[in-house]
Amino acid sequence: MTKILFAHPLFLSKSPDERAAGSPYFPLGLLYLAAYVREQGHQVALFDGTFQEDETAFARALAQEAPDVVGIAALLPTRDMALLLAQMAHEAGHVVILGGPDPTKDPSSYLSQPQVDIVVHHEGEQTLATLLDLFDAGRLTTEALQEQPGVAFRSAGRIQINEPRAPIENLDALPLPARDLIDVDRYLAQWRETNGYSSLNIVTSRGCPYNCDWCRDAVHGNGFRQRSPESVAEEMKILKDSFQIDRLRVVDDVDGIERAWLESWAAAAEERDAAIPFEALNDLQRQDIPLLDVRDSL
Ligand code: B12
Ligand code: SF4
């Protein structure tokens, strides 16, 4: 069993814009990864920079958790902090893996930094689990990485970027995000203080069938995959009962594509007393009165 410490390198204390927005969401990608590799038998811990003073808290987490591997997520605005945490983990002797939307877009710009050992690009669950299995077996070597889809690494002084891994087709087979690893109440308190209501994020699908130039190589690819309405409604029920949230934020790449799905979702949520008002990144051209009626029931 390999122990991995995941890290979210966003510190509100160092991000005036995020602090002013007062609407923090913990990135669900890391929680999906943690739930998945935990289910595969690996040990997980998580460092959340959000409410920490500065990066010295990460040094404490490294010492306390003593992980084998450190996995850090990065977006463009958190790149510098992700690389700083990677440096600290590298100096403390851990294997350092970076992943998320920005390393996916440009693995080389991360691997050109010596503190980054491996980049996982695109959807991360299966690739990361394979890397942790290899570590466990003492075989996390450059030779073994040659065979692995979804990774980028340095080999003989050059950066090698392997093909993406085939996407997970059945999203219902994934365990729910490991929200037990974060301080959800702290997030909700922050929401209530700044917005007067509380909100948590949720994923109902992955991928997007469109091809807008600026985001063509999205993390979850061109194949649109949707969870079943029942699985989403069951997760909503858990969130509603456990945290009494006022709203949901649907963080799918794109939504509102399949009207029949939305109608089934509304029915499944009503059946379970799981309906919660939600917001999403939706193209307004897709809206019409019947659709808004469906949404009104959530
Ligand atoms: C929802 C969303 C938001 C929401 C919520 C963000 C949150 N904190 O949850 C809001 C609206 C707040 C937001 C804000 C911003 N966003 Co945004 N957002 C998204 C969106 C649509 C989905 C993200 C998501 O939750 N996906 C679902 C999860 C399950 O997937 P995931 O996070 O990608 O994780 C998977 C893999 O990436 C990988 N992975 C992730 N982390 C790690 C770590 C390791 C170690 C490993 C191995 C793998 C791995 O495995 C995960 C599971 O498969 C993406 C679009 C996209 N397709 O990625 C843009 C996206 C991530 N956002 C983007 C941007 C630019 C921003 C902003 C900077 C916008 C702005 N100017 O303010 C801010 C930054 C916020 C911040 N500081 O975190 C860009 C990032 C581009 C880049 N190169 O980094 C994206 C990719 C949109 C785009 N196409 O340009 N965003
Ligand atoms: S996720 Fe949005 S911006 Fe990206 S390709 Fe799909 S519709 Fe276009």
Side-chain angles (χ1 to χ4, degrees):
M1 178 214 303
T2 305
K3 178 164 186 182
I4 179 164
L5 174 65
F6 291 101
H8 174 39
L10 176 82
F11 293 76
L12 288 178
S13 57
K14 291 175 177 279
S15 315
D17 292 349
E18 296 284 337
R19 206 168 52 241
S23 311
Y25 286 115
F26 188 90
L28 277 184
L30 280 182
L31 299 185
Y32 266 104
L33 292 168
Y36 188 84
V37 300
R38 184 164 65 183
E39 195 177 73
Q40 303 290 312
H42 297 291
Q43 211 183 329
V44 299
L46 190 143
F47 171 78
D48 180 5
T50 306
F51 302 108
Q52 301 292 342
E53 190 84 346
D54 59 32
E55 62 276 12
T56 57
F58 182 62
R60 289 196 294 278
L62 284 175
Q64 192 182 321
E65 300 296 345
D68 303 305
V69 172
V70 173
I72 306 172
L75 289 184
L76 193 54
T78 54
R79 175 190 153 89
D80 290 349
M81 186 53 80
L83 288 173
L84 175 63
L85 300 192
Q87 178 74 35
M88 293 167 70
H90 174 73
E91 282 168 7
H94 307 289
V95 174
V96 178
I97 303 179
L98 269 281
D102 203 44
T104 292
K105 184 166 182 295
D106 188 5
S108 300
S109 76
Y110 286 83
L111 284 164
S112 60
Q113 310 292 317
Q115 69 268 39
V116 178
D117 295 308
I118 303 170
V119 163
V120 167
H121 56 84
H122 297 88
E123 190 167 66
E125 283 89 349
Q126 293 176 336
T127 306
L128 182 63
T130 306
L131 296 181
L132 299 186
D133 289 347
L134 285 171
F135 183 94
D136 211 14
R139 294 200 301 113
L140 189 56
T141 59
T142 308
E143 207 176 31
L145 290 176
Q146 309 281 349
E147 315 288 315
Q148 289 305 321
V151 295
F153 55 100
R154 285 181 296 274
S155 173
R158 296 182 51 207
I159 293 171
Q160 180 171 329
I161 305 173
N162 292 355
E163 288 298 304
R165 184 176 290 268
I168 297 167
E169 285 305 328
N170 179 11
L171 297 182
D172 283 3
L174 289 174
L176 295 182
R179 293 187 177 87
D180 57 294
L181 297 177
I182 60 168
D183 186 350
V184 174
D185 290 336
R186 181 94 193 253
Y187 278 86
L188 298 182
Q190 177 73 59
W191 267 88
R192 289 194 193 97
E193 189 185 317
T194 18
N195 303 294
Y197 65 91
S198 57
S199 179
L200 280 177
N201 44 357
I202 192 169
V203 166
T204 78
S205 69
R206 288 186 179 180
C208 171
Y210 305 122
N211 267 314
C212 304
D213 272 351
W214 64 287
C215 103
R216 208 161 22 201
D217 190 19
V219 169
H220 295 292
N222 275 148
F224 181 65
R225 296 158 282 149
Q226 196 136 39
R227 293 173 61 189
S228 68
E230 293 75 23
S231 138
V232 179
E234 273 155 29
E235 183 176 357
M236 289 162 71
K237 178 70 176 157
I238 293 170
L239 297 182
K240 195 173 175 183
D241 289 350
S242 310
F243 305 115
Q244 293 78 47
I245 49 173
D246 302 308
R247 290 196 203 174
L248 273 181
R249 167 101 196 205
V250 177
V251 295
D252 298 355
D253 294 354
V254 65
D255 69 286
I257 291 187
E258 290 181 18
R259 176 177 298 251
W261 187 94
L262 284 172
E263 285 166 6
S264 306
W265 179 34
E270 271 171 9
E271 258 167 42
R272 292 165 177 75
D273 184 27
I276 308 173
F278 74 98
E279 55 179 322
L281 286 170
N282 193 255
D283 180 346
L284 285 179
Q285 289 176 37
R286 293 183 185 286
Q287 304 284 2
D288 57 27
I289 296 302
L291 180 59
L292 291 174
D293 281 347
V294 171
R295 295 182 149 213
D296 216 25
S297 62
L298 281 161

